[in-house]
Amino acid sequence: MVSRVVPLPYPTPTVTKIAEAICEQALLVVRATKESAIKGIDMTLEQGLALEFTSAEKIIATEDAREGTRAFAEKRKPQYKGKCKSLRGSYPSPNFTYIIF
């Protein structure tokens, strides 16, 4: 699956922008999405849907899910407790190849 093609040799600004957008999301949702994408490759549609349903059941019961709903209703940015750290400035080098799931 490809969401964007960026010309070489410097994909870093685009990758940084995408990574920071992902980091603004609830960490449990990001992890579950990545897990579903990886495991789902070798599953039937029914198995993949069951995995997503199970993940959703676990996530919906979290404080981050309640915070997301409250923030949406209050028209403010959510303050997730499981948020990942900012990636700005933490890349190993400008020549490093980044792959984001």
Side-chain angles (χ1 to χ4, degrees), residues 84-95:
C84 57
K85 295 179 183 176
S86 173
L87 297 177
R88 189 177 299 277
S90 64
Y91 295 122
S93 81
N95 298 322

Side-chain angles (χ1 to χ4, degrees), residues 29-86:
V29 173
V30 173
R31 284 182 180 165
T33 301
K34 186 175 177 181
E35 178 185 15
S36 293
I38 292 169
K39 288 183 176 180
I41 291 172
D42 296 322
M43 292 182 170
T44 65
L45 176 60
E46 292 78 17
Q47 291 169 328
L49 292 173
L51 174 62
E52 288 182 21
F53 182 79
T54 301
S55 295
E57 279 185 317
K58 291 176 185 175
I59 291 167
I60 202 73
T62 66
E63 179 58 35
D64 278 355
R66 289 186 290 279
E67 167 59 13
T69 302
R70 276 192 303 269
F72 180 80
E74 296 169 6
K75 298 182 181 177
R76 63 174 173 80
K77 189 174 180 176
Q79 300 296 312
Y80 297 119
K81 293 181 180 179
K83 195 189 298 186
C84 57
K85 295 179 183 176
S86 173

